[in-house]
């Protein structure tokens, strides 16, 4: 029997009122530097990072959803005794600020600064444990000085270059887009949704394709499968051969094609060039020029998706020229067609209509030869269609000396013969193209290049960085950068000869800022270097990175490229920016569309915080479903979360005393309370680590209910009850930091709950006194056994076979087999006939 000493009566219970304490704790945490990571801390480091936001002016509920998950994990690791860095900053360059300058007659810098100040305040109101001492703002010259330095390093290494090329142009934002920023079947701007146009411009590029193979290696990182697949498909590695087709024209290089099936070259009966191919103008005969020029002009107006549509009727134009098939020496005509794209392969194909559906349709329309050169071993070929459903036993036919050879062997054999004749070679090609990084806008990091009549493009010396944006510019939409009209800023001198020079007026893509910001967090105040090497070595790589999956082939690919390039330049000693990536789902508007101000479906958290408190909003967001899935916004369950935290409040406030004796029944209730306490520790810890915040919250609700039942049974003064309540507060601390801190103090504990050791489950206390085992006969439930967890398997088998419900099916015979899954079930298999 347990005898409890009555405690002095506590003060009258107070009403649950988050507004009375939440701001107080946030101010104290910040004043005490509770979330500040120490560079000289000897404890194990944990670098947790969530993608920084664009400072649009207000946080919406989606920002809270994205940030609360990693905040929970960061707080968990702090309580585990690790030195956690969980910083925050702002991706503050970009078009919205420039558009605001036009629409509202306010300078982008002022608009951005005001938005950042507001968003800082909103982030603080959610109780996120960010280390604000490490904040970076990418539009600050102290930051973009180093963005420009990285560009300079890439330029010196040949990783940055300038070239003219067809680019995607957003007519609304008056800016060039990277290929990754053109989205959807209608090829729209990723930001504003305007249909994109093609223009030929001189642009700056980064050689990301130098790293295509390495970017396909995910062996050292833990990335979600969808992101791995997106990046793999985007890079699009294909193995095959490059083949040169000589042309009937003087002083013209052969047309080079890439194919994954060089074994079909004997079936190449014509060639097709992309309308944009540079040889079109050279090879087109005068009698065909009018038709060809008209076709080219029309093709350039079409979207890539339209041109790739396999259901469209094929169109094309003969250019009047011929090439020579290097394996058959046949003279084959050269056509142009919009289904061949300039950005894929070499922009030219050998057309093998018997074995490609698009080529087949084209050949049928324009009455071009169709020759089958690969067939099943049976020789049976489809009637009236291309043979593209390749079989393992296929062999070459009508292929000269290679006839009868298995197709798989012929790929290698034909490639070797082409190599020996100097007309081909084995090759690998990629769908990925170099990264277009220049933008025709003002609000971005200026490219540190000047143009000299004598020396061309010249880097601005490192000791003259940053090249700072001028304040007084004209933001009228002209289709060119507003920097081009700023005569005073444009005029400069050449670093090499001292003569007159003109500044580059393009600025850098904002994805460059986000490709290295996580490095700057390691030493954000270093005025002499982009990062301090010792601090970088101490913190990098990131241990856990979180953000949206929509960045799969943009930011999440670019920042990997940056690390590998900077490593090869001798600046870094690691290969990947983060060891682990997790993606949150999107919180959609009530209309099931992505939240945006233009749609009017944004839910601001401020009004919810004012009504329910930050903890309620945090817990509600984590409870609505799996964190990696998201869903449409529906606040109908907010009241339920608020009531739950109110019950936590009531259960955790100091009690008014306890019953002196609880008896044997009370002792059994205490054992049950300890058991649920320790099973909850184990389950919530695992759920937090796995980002299963919804199920963790559900288990915390169950522990709350068990605690309340124990109080109603008269256990409120006992050790088991106190242990359950204090464990509940510790487990709640990452999820609902304010109420956990307030109740921790009210129960007389030392500050702060967030500096306490994370509880560890005791398996002995978590173990049930008895367990219930389903007993099946031939896979169907027939009985249940109640046993202790340590009951030997032999005894469980004896009990199962003694069951009258099992004997009914055995009919006195010996079972064929008894299968046990320890702690889960018993399955009796009856004798076979």
């Amino acid at each position: 029997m347990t005898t409890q000493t009555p405690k002095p009566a506590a003060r009258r219970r107070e009403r649950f009122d988050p507004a009375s304490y939440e701001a107080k704790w946030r101010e104290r945490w910040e004043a005490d530097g509770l979330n500040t990571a120490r560079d000289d801390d000897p404890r194990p480091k944990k670098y947790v990072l969530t993608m920084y936001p664009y400072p649009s002016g207000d946080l919406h509920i989606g920002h809270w959803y994205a940030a609360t998950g990693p905040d929970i994990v960061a707080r968990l690791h702090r309580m585990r005794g690790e030195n956690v860095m969980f910083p925050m900053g702002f991706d503050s360059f970009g078009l919205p600020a420039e558009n605001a300058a036009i629409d509202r007659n306010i300078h982008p810098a002022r608009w951005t600064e005001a938005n950042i100040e507001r968003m800082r305040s909103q982030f603080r109101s959610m109780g996120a444990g960010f280390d604000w001492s490490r904040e970076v703002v990418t539009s600050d010259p102290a930051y973009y000085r180093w963005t420009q330095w990285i560009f300079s390093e890439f330029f010196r290494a040949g990783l940055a270059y300038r070239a003219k090329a067809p680019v995607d142009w957003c007519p609304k934002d008056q800016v060039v887009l990277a290929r990754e920023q053109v989205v959807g079947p209608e090829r729209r701007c990723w930001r504003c949704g305007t249909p994109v146009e093609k223009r030929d411009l001189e642009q700056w590029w980064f050689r990301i394709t130098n790293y295509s193979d390495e970017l396909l290696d995910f062996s050292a990182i833990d990335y979600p499968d969808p992101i791995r697949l997106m990046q793999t498909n985007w890079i699009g590695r294909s193995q095959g051969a490059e083949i040169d087709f000589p042309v009937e024209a003087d002083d013209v290089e052969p047309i080079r094609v890439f194919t994954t099936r060089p074994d079909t070259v004997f079936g190449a009966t014509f060639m097709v060039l992309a309308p944009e191919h540079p040889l079109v103008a050279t090879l087109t005969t005068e009698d065909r020029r009018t038709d060809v020029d008209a076709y080219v002009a029309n093709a350039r107006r079409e979207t890539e998706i339209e041109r790739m549509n396999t259901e469209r009727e094929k169109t094309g134009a003969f250019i009047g020229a011929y090439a020579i098939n290097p394996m058959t020496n046949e003279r084959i005509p050269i056509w142009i067609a919009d289904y061949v794209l300039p950005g894929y392969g070499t922009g030219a194909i050998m057309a093998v209509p018997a074995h490609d559906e698009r080529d087949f349709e084209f050949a049928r329309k324009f009455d071009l030869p169709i020759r089958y050169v690969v067939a099943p071993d049976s020789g049976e070929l489809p009637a009236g269609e291309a043979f593209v459903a390749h079989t393992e036993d296929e062999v070459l036919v009508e292929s000269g000396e290679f006839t009868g050879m298995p197709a798989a062997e012929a790929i290698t054999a034909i490639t070797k013969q082409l190599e020996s004749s100097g007309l081909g070679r084995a090759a690998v090609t990629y769908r990925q193209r170099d990264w277009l990084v220049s933008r025709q806008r003002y609000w971005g990091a200026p490219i540190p290049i000047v143009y000299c009549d004598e020396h061309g493009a010249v880097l601005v010396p490192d000791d003259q960085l940053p090249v700072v944006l001028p304040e007084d510019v004209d933001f009228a939409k002209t289709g060119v950068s507003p920097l081009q009209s700023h005569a005073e800023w444009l005029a400069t001198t050449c670093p090499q000869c001292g003569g007159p020079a003109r500044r580059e007026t393009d600025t850098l893509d904002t994805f460059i800022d986000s490709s290295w910001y996580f490095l700057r967090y390691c030493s954000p105040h270093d005025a002499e270097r982009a990062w301090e090497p010792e601090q970088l070595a101490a913190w990098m790589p990131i241990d856990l990175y979180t953000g949206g999956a929509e960045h799969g082939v943009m930011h999440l690919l670019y920042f990997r490229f940056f690390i590998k390039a900077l490593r090869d330049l001798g600046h870094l000693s690691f290969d990947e920016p983060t060891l682990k990536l997790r993606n949150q789902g999107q919180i959609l508007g009530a209309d099931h569309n992505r939240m945006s101000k233009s749609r009017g479906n944004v839910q601001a958290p401020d009004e919810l915080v004012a009504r329910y408190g930050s903890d309620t909003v945090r817990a509600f967001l984590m409870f609505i479903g799996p964190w990696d899935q998201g869903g449409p916004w529906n606040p109908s369950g907010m009241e339920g979360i608020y009531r739950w935290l109110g019950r936590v409040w009531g259960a955790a406030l100091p009690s008014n005393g306890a019953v002196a004796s609880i008896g044997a029944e009370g002792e059994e209730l205490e054992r049950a309370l300890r058991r649920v306490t320790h099973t909850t520790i184990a389950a919530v810890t695992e759920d937090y680590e796995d980002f299963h915040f919804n199920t963790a919250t559900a288990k915390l609700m169950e522990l709350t209910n068990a605690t309340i039942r124990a109080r109603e049974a008269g256990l409120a003064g006992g050790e088991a009850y106190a242990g359950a309540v204090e464990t509940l507060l510790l487990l709640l601390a990452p999820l609902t930091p304010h109420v956990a801190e307030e109740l921790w103090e009210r129960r007389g504990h030392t500050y702060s709950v967030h500096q306490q050791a994370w509880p560890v489950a005791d398996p002995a206390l978590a173990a049930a006194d008895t367990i219930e085992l389903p007993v099946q006969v031939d896979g169907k439930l027939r009985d249940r056994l109640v046993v202790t967890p340590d009951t030997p398997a032999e005894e469980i088998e004896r009990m199962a076979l003694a069951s009258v419900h099992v004997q009914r099916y055995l009919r006195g015979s010996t079972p064929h087999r008894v299968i046990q899954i320890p702690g889960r079930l018993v399955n009796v298999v009856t004798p076979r006939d």
Side-chain angles (χ1 to χ4, degrees):
M1 180 182 297
T2 301
T3 301
Q4 300 171 332
T5 304
K7 297 182 179 180
R11 61 177 181 269
R12 184 174 178 270
R13 292 182 179 272
E14 296 181 28
R15 182 176 64 90
F16 175 54
D17 180 18
S20 68
Y21 60 81
E22 286 192 343
K24 170 190 73 175
W25 287 119
R26 288 195 296 270
E27 291 169 4
R28 183 167 179 186
W29 295 333
E30 188 157 351
D32 294 346
L34 201 68
N35 300 317
T36 302
R38 311 294 180 188
D39 291 330
D40 57 353
D41 194 319
R43 295 177 300 167
K45 72 94 176 178
K46 184 68 68 170
Y47 187 176
V48 179
L49 184 62
T50 191
M51 294 179 188
Y52 62 179
Y54 180 80
S56 57
D58 283 287
L59 294 183
H60 57 65
I61 209 70
H63 289 107
W64 275 54
Y65 185 77
T68 301
D71 183 51
I72 290 170
V73 176
R75 290 178 176 278
L76 166 67
H77 284 287
R78 284 198 189 100
M79 294 177 72
R80 281 179 160 174
E82 293 168 284
N83 183 26
V84 174
M85 180 164 73
F86 185 46
M88 179 49 67
F90 294 93
D91 189 12
S92 52
F93 271 140
L95 275 172
E98 198 159 330
N99 290 339
I102 299 168
D103 299 338
R104 309 178 192 186
N105 194 30
I106 182 174
H107 195 279
R110 307 291 86 75
W111 185 82
T112 299
E113 289 162 3
N115 289 349
I116 287 174
E117 185 57 37
R118 174 158 176 75
M119 291 176 74
R120 278 195 200 106
S121 174
Q122 291 177 315
F123 266 131
R124 286 184 167 99
S125 75
M126 69 176 286
F130 295 129
D131 181 354
W132 288 104
S133 71
R134 294 176 181 266
E135 180 189 73
V136 298
V137 177
T138 61
S139 58
D140 184 343
Y143 180 87
Y144 71 73
R145 168 189 179 181
W146 302 112
T147 302
Q148 292 172 344
W149 172 78
I150 292 173
F151 175 92
S152 299
E153 288 289 278
F154 283 12
F155 182 84
R156 285 186 278 261
L159 290 172
Y161 66 97
R162 196 166 186 250
K164 189 169 187 176
V167 295
D168 293 307
W169 174 266
C170 175
K172 179 178 185 296
D173 291 329
Q174 301 282 296
V175 68
V176 170
L177 302 175
R179 185 164 164 236
E180 298 86 348
Q181 295 168 329
V182 179
V183 298
E186 297 178 346
R187 300 189 76 250
R188 294 181 178 273
C189 172
W190 74 292
R191 189 181 294 279
C192 69
T194 304
V196 167
E197 301 172 354
K198 285 287 186 184
R199 288 194 180 184
D200 291 322
L201 293 174
E202 287 279 351
Q203 299 290 300
W204 285 97
W205 308 78
F206 281 172
R207 296 188 195 277
I208 191 172
T209 53
N210 284 13
Y211 291 87
S212 293
D213 276 326
E214 193 175 353
L215 290 168
L216 287 169
D217 182 3
F218 299 94
S219 60
I221 52 179
D222 178 3
Y223 271 36
D225 287 341
I227 299 296
R228 294 158 64 109
L229 183 61
M230 287 168 66
Q231 294 193 359
T232 299
N233 290 342
W234 184 259
I235 293 167
R237 187 181 193 275
S238 297
Q239 192 162 345
E242 286 181 346
I243 304 175
D244 290 340
F245 284 71
V247 296
E248 292 182 342
D250 294 334
D251 300 321
V252 177
E253 293 291 320
I255 298 173
R256 178 165 293 177
V257 303
F258 173 83
T259 176
T260 58
R261 293 298 302 263
D263 55 314
T264 64
V265 65
F266 284 86
T269 57
F270 60 99
M271 299 198 73
V272 184
L273 306 182
E276 300 88 347
H277 195 288
L279 285 180
V280 172
T282 302
L283 293 175
T284 299
T285 57
E286 288 306 315
D287 62 314
R288 299 296 305 153
R289 192 165 300 281
T290 299
D291 288 346
V292 168
D293 288 349
Y295 188 88
V296 169
N298 185 65
R300 287 177 66 88
R301 287 192 292 269
E302 295 175 324
T303 68
E304 189 171 304
I305 298 299
E306 288 173 337
R307 291 171 64 168
M308 293 175 66
N309 186 349
T310 58
E311 297 180 2
R312 292 179 71 200
E313 182 180 2
K314 294 295 180 286
T315 62
F318 175 49
I319 70 172
Y322 291 83
I324 304 299
N325 185 318
M327 295 301 291
T328 67
N329 289 319
E330 291 176 291
R331 187 172 182 255
I332 60 176
I334 303 172
W335 289 68
I336 59 172
D338 59 6
Y339 74 87
V340 179
L341 302 174
Y344 290 85
T346 64
I349 65 166
M350 62 175 202
V352 184
H355 304 289
D356 182 276
E357 290 177 347
R358 298 175 307 164
D359 296 347
F360 183 87
E361 293 172 15
F362 193 91
R364 288 280 291 267
K365 178 171 181 179
F366 293 104
D367 197 25
L368 294 165
I370 300 173
R371 180 186 305 140
Y372 291 93
V373 293
V374 177
D377 192 43
S378 64
E380 295 181 8
L381 288 165
E385 62 183 77
F387 173 54
V388 294
H390 297 294
T391 60
E392 291 184 2
D393 66 345
E394 64 187 12
V395 296
L396 267 60
V397 298
E398 304 260 352
S399 298
E401 64 187 272
F402 300 97
T403 297
M405 182 179 288
E409 295 178 21
I411 289 174
T412 301
I414 290 175
T415 300
K416 286 182 177 179
Q417 182 158 317
L418 287 165
E419 287 177 344
S420 66
S421 64
L423 291 172
R425 65 183 182 88
V428 173
T429 192
Y430 302 86
R431 181 179 183 269
Q432 184 181 36
R433 294 294 174 260
D434 280 343
W435 176 10
L436 172 61
V437 299
S438 51
R439 299 292 181 268
Q440 292 65 48
R441 62 175 179 235
Y442 165 79
W443 194 235
I447 295 175
I449 291 285
V450 301
Y451 297 98
C452 169
D453 289 342
E454 181 177 351
H455 296 101
V458 181
L459 273 177
V460 175
D462 290 350
D463 60 7
Q464 294 179 24
L465 300 179
V467 177
V468 179
L469 289 168
E471 287 274 335
D472 51 334
V473 291
D474 180 4
F475 290 105
K477 285 192 174 182
T478 61
V480 297
S481 168
L483 293 173
Q484 291 193 19
S485 61
H486 198 290
E488 183 179 348
W489 185 83
L490 282 172
T492 186
T493 57
C494 173
Q496 290 190 17
C497 66
R502 184 176 183 273
R503 291 194 187 280
E504 169 64 76
T505 57
D506 284 358
T507 54
L508 291 168
D509 183 4
T510 56
F511 279 109
I512 292 177
D513 304 324
S514 58
S515 292
W516 77 278
Y517 78 110
F518 48 92
L519 301 176
R520 187 64 177 169
Y521 281 138
C522 297
S523 49
H525 310 298
D526 194 324
E528 303 301 322
R529 295 164 292 193
W531 48 78
E532 201 283 316
E534 289 186 6
Q535 297 309 325
L536 200 71
W539 287 109
M540 289 296 296
I542 303 163
D543 294 287
L544 171 67
Y545 194 41
T546 69
E550 66 271 19
H551 296 292
V553 295
M554 289 189 284
H555 166 60
L556 291 173
L557 196 59
Y558 297 152
F559 84 145
R560 295 183 64 211
F561 156 63
F562 254 56
I563 293 306
K564 297 173 190 303
L566 289 167
R567 174 205 62 199
D568 288 350
L569 295 177
H571 297 301
L572 305 177
S573 59
F574 47 93
D575 301 324
E576 294 283 354
T578 184
L579 301 176
K580 183 176 183 179
L581 171 72
R582 291 295 179 265
N583 301 122
Q584 80 273 359
Q586 283 191 358
I587 294 296
L588 305 175
D591 58 0
H592 291 245
N593 289 312
R594 185 173 180 174
M595 285 191 180
S596 71
K597 292 180 180 179
S598 62
R599 291 193 180 100
N601 64 354
V602 171
Q603 171 63 61
D606 300 34
E607 59 189 74
L608 298 172
V609 172
R611 182 174 179 182
Y612 297 108
S614 297
D615 286 340
T616 298
V617 179
R618 288 169 59 103
F620 173 74
L621 286 169
M622 296 300 98
F623 187 56
I624 59 177
W627 187 76
D628 62 348
Q629 294 182 23
W633 172 250
N634 182 349
S636 61
M638 193 79 69
E639 286 283 355
I641 296 293
Y642 182 79
R643 288 194 297 271
W644 166 50
L645 293 180
R647 292 197 299 274
V648 171
W649 179 268
L653 283 177
S655 66
N656 292 319
V659 178
S661 178
I662 59 173
E665 183 179 353
E667 290 177 356
E668 176 58 32
L669 290 173
E670 283 194 326
R671 282 195 296 274
L673 183 58
R674 288 192 178 95
R675 184 165 56 248
V676 72
T677 298
H678 283 266
T679 57
T680 304
I681 292 171
V684 169
T685 301
E686 182 177 354
D687 281 347
Y688 280 170
E689 290 173 336
D690 293 340
F691 282 73
H692 297 160
F693 306 116
N694 58 324
T695 53
T697 305
K699 289 158 187 169
L700 290 168
M701 291 176 176
E702 293 170 4
L703 178 57
T704 304
N705 293 338
T707 304
I708 291 172
R709 288 194 298 271
R711 184 190 63 196
E712 292 171 348
L715 305 183
E719 291 181 3
Y721 184 84
V725 169
E726 285 158 17
T727 296
L728 176 61
L729 297 182
L730 291 170
L731 297 178
L732 279 169
L735 176 67
T736 55
H738 306 85
V739 70
E741 188 76 275
E742 179 72 11
L743 289 171
W744 188 258
E745 182 190 61
R746 284 174 178 256
R747 290 187 65 83
H749 297 297
T750 57
Y751 171 85
S752 157
V753 68
H754 302 291
Q755 294 176 316
Q756 306 306 308
W758 186 253
V760 177
D762 184 333
L765 293 175
D769 292 340
T770 59
I771 57 174
E772 188 177 79
L773 290 179
V775 178
Q776 300 176 343
V777 176
D778 294 332
K780 294 184 179 180
L781 181 66
R782 299 305 182 190
D783 201 356
R784 296 179 185 273
L785 299 178
V786 177
V787 299
T788 61
D790 58 353
T791 302
E794 297 81 1
E795 177 63 14
I796 292 173
E797 179 175 329
R798 187 197 65 76
M799 294 171 66
L801 295 179
S803 165
V804 294
H805 303 291
V806 172
Q807 284 296 322
R808 183 182 306 150
Y809 294 93
L810 286 176
R811 298 173 183 172
S813 60
T814 301
H816 173 69
R817 189 179 177 192
V818 177
I819 302 169
Q820 292 191 45
I821 301 178
R824 299 283 300 279
L825 63 83
V826 181
N827 183 31
V828 178
V829 181
T830 57
R832 296 174 180 175
D833 294 335

